[in-house]
Amino acid sequence: MIDQPPLFSTIQSVRHPADVGIQQRFEAFHALNPWVLRALARLTGDCADKGFSRISIGMLFELLRYQYGAATRGDEFALNNNFRSRYVRLLLTEHPEWAPLFEVRALRAD
């Protein structure tokens, strides 16, 4: 069983004009929700410790959605799939030893 962080009330959502790029939306979301990166790092470390040779950020996002489902409020996805590639890059910046675990492709949108 994976250790879960202390309970929290909600994921902080951010509303942007339609012309704001993915990177700007991600940075605003991440600034309000730093726990997401910590949770992804905890899950990645757990997988690495268990000997996984490859990890999918999609799998980690779905695990977070499951574990923290009560934190999702409203009509929007609290964990935007467009942020997956950005979170992988942050994980690898903090933990370069995990680079072999993830496949990282070039970003297609800003």
Side-chain angles (χ1 to χ4, degrees):
M1 176 108 172
I2 297 170
D3 290 335
Q4 294 185 10
L7 295 174
F8 53 90
S9 59
T10 63
I11 293 172
Q12 299 296 314
S13 64
V14 182
R15 299 208 188 276
H16 296 284
D19 63 342
V20 174
I22 293 171
Q23 185 63 33
Q24 288 176 297
R25 287 185 282 145
F26 167 73
E27 290 170 5
F29 177 85
H30 177 58
L32 289 173
N33 298 284
W35 68 268
V36 173
L37 181 62
R38 291 190 303 270
L40 290 170
R42 192 170 30 260
L43 289 169
T44 301
D46 187 53
C47 289
D49 291 346
K50 288 182 172 35
F52 283 47
S53 60
R54 299 293 284 175
I55 300 171
S56 162
I57 190 66
M59 175 192 71
L60 299 179
F61 256 53
E62 296 308 324
L63 283 169
L64 280 184
R65 285 183 176 132
Y66 172 76
Q67 290 180 348
Y68 303 103
T72 303
R73 308 256 190 263
D75 297 333
E76 299 178 53
F77 285 110
L79 293 174
N80 188 327
N81 286 340
N82 291 332
F83 299 162
R84 290 176 176 190
S85 60
R86 273 59 179 188
Y87 274 114
V88 168
R89 285 166 173 75
L90 282 181
L91 284 170
L92 296 181
T93 297
E94 292 186 3
H95 299 276
E97 69 276 14
W98 291 343
L101 299 174
F102 291 99
E103 178 180 344
V104 179
R105 299 177 185 168
L107 293 175
R108 293 184 280 168
D110 61 343

